[in-house]
Amino acid sequence: MNMRKLCVLGAAAISFICVAPDSATSAASTAKWDKVFKKSDKVDVQKVTFKNRYGIELTGDLYTPKNKAEGKLAAIAVSGPFGAVKEQVSGLYAQTLAERGFITLAFDPSFTGESGGTPRHVASPDINTEDFSAAVDYLSARSDVDENKIGILGICGFGGMGLNAAAMDTRIKATVTSTMYDMSRVNANGYFDSMTPEDRYTLREKLNAQRTEDYKNGNYAKGSGLPDKLTGEEPQFVKDYYGYYKTPRGFHERSINSNGNWNETSVLSFMTMPILTYSNEIKNAVLMIHGENAQPIMTKKAVLMKDSRKLEAIDRIV
């Protein structure tokens, strides 16, 4: 299959917001099925593990079409949103794409969900970028996957990590981002680019003081997460997140967004490591999708290819 078509088909099969659509949110009643969406009778799923180049063991769910075609198939690695687990949005996307003939791998990033790594609930622009390449390692070694037809799908905050991986890893032949958050930008500039350089320095002072306290205490202070209850005065995007992650629609016990908090000092590395720096050097197909009401931090900037094979799918209004 042409990898550019893979991008377009992949985009058509997924929802275009950072949470799963209402139509697929009923949890299965069987005890063995631990996802927040219904199990498809068109695919098989199995738990798999693989290691990234830092030695962290990642856990994923591999979805394969039950009536898959002969020979090797195109494959897609899926991760995100930021703070979610594979039993939530990424698993639904992976299952939906598998129904359309792809082999798909929804995985938990390092330090989260069922994947390894300590301390828990840490985010890293470097390690989380590597997680995508580790998923490509795993898929490339499978006998039923065409190693020349592997794409990735990064959702919300993991869209930026996906683009960073595509800029680094030339094995990734197609990249789709769905309502991408630039985690470097939001951590360095704040929501709606509200932070000044002086604000940023003050935040660094606060976070580095917290590092000292964490070391002395032998544990890690948690950052602020979603509230347990809404007051009604929250911004709409907070209400949207709450409506998925904190309700039966999408709650999962292993999800940071549902049942935990990131370590407060996780944001430090994002503030000085802009993950989209080399995105303009990606030569393979890229499709970036955002909604009509996407927040300003969700980038609408086209990723241009250096050669003539530009994919004119940027700024699509859904």
Side-chain angles (χ1 to χ4, degrees):
M1 175 178 290
N2 180 283
M3 291 306 290
R4 188 166 300 185
K5 290 182 179 178
L6 186 157
C7 258
V8 176
L9 179 57
I14 61 178
S15 71
F16 301 103
I17 52 176
C18 280
V19 295
D22 288 328
S23 61
T25 54
S26 298
S29 59
T30 59
K32 291 182 179 179
W33 185 252
D34 62 349
K35 325 302 183 208
V36 302
F37 50 89
K38 289 181 179 179
K39 188 178 189 301
S40 171
D41 59 3
K42 298 178 182 179
V43 304
D44 293 317
V45 59
Q46 61 176 308
K47 195 85 69 180
V48 299
T49 60
F50 53 97
K51 288 186 178 180
N52 66 20
R53 65 188 178 94
Y54 296 107
I56 298 171
E57 185 172 81
L58 304 179
T59 300
D61 288 324
L62 186 77
Y63 294 82
T64 55
K66 281 191 174 179
N67 299 315
K68 63 181 181 179
E70 294 287 335
K72 298 186 176 185
L73 301 181
I76 307 171
V78 190
S79 196
F82 197 76
V85 288
K86 63 188 180 304
E87 290 78 16
Q88 295 173 313
V89 184
S90 61
L92 174 58
Y93 290 5
Q95 178 175 265
T96 304
L97 288 165
E99 290 177 331
R100 286 151 173 79
F102 297 98
I103 292 175
T104 59
L105 174 63
F107 65 91
D108 289 331
S110 295
F111 311 111
T112 67
E114 292 185 309
S115 288
T118 54
R120 304 303 292 168
H121 295 186
V122 174
S124 164
D126 182 15
I127 296 174
N128 293 146
T129 295
E130 159 63 18
D131 290 342
F132 273 107
S133 286
V136 174
D137 291 340
Y138 171 80
L139 291 171
S140 298
R142 288 187 60 89
S143 61
D144 54 357
V145 169
D146 185 338
E147 64 181 284
N148 296 310
K149 293 182 179 180
I150 296 176
I152 62 173
L153 167 57
I155 308 160
C156 204
F158 271 80
M161 260 72 85
L163 281 180
N164 199 27
M168 174 186 70
D169 194 334
T170 56
R171 300 172 302 170
I172 298 170
K173 303 305 181 184
T175 303
V176 177
T177 69
S178 179
T179 53
M180 187 199 80
Y181 255 71
D182 180 348
M183 296 308 299
S184 296
R185 178 177 165 187
V186 72
N187 283 306
N189 297 344
Y191 282 100
F192 308 108
D193 291 333
S194 59
M195 291 173 59
T196 66
E198 186 59 35
D199 293 333
R200 191 158 44 248
Y201 188 83
T202 299
L203 178 58
R204 289 194 188 107
E205 286 186 314
K206 176 179 180 295
L207 292 174
N208 283 296
Q210 186 61 56
R211 284 193 62 153
T212 301
E213 290 304 308
D214 289 348
Y215 187 83
K216 290 178 179 178
N217 296 332
N219 55 37
Y220 295 84
K222 302 300 181 183
S224 59
L226 286 173
D228 290 329
K229 292 183 179 180
L230 293 179
T231 66
E233 301 300 318
E234 293 83 2
Q236 185 58 46
F237 70 90
V238 174
K239 295 176 182 178
D240 290 339
Y241 293 162
Y242 184 97
Y244 181 75
Y245 292 109
K246 288 290 191 176
T247 71
R249 178 185 167 203
F251 179 89
H252 197 280
E253 62 181 0
R254 288 193 294 270
S255 168
I256 296 172
N257 294 342
S258 292
N259 196 34
N261 306 78
W262 289 101
N263 289 352
E264 186 175 9
T265 55
S266 287
V267 306
L268 273 169
S269 56
F270 284 97
M271 295 173 73
T272 55
M273 295 184 187
I275 55 179
L276 301 186
T277 300
Y278 295 100
S279 58
N280 65 318
E281 296 184 3
I282 301 172
K283 291 188 176 182
N284 291 317
V286 173
L287 176 62
M288 298 173 67
I289 304 164
H290 63 87
E292 184 177 13
N293 298 315
Q295 297 171 54
I297 204 67
M298 294 178 181
T299 183
K300 300 179 182 180
K301 181 181 179 181
V303 177
L304 300 177
M305 311 308 160
K306 273 198 167 182
D307 60 5
S308 60
R309 297 171 297 164
K310 296 178 182 178
L311 189 66
E312 296 180 358
I314 312 304
D315 278 349
R316 176 173 295 185
I317 302 299
V318 180

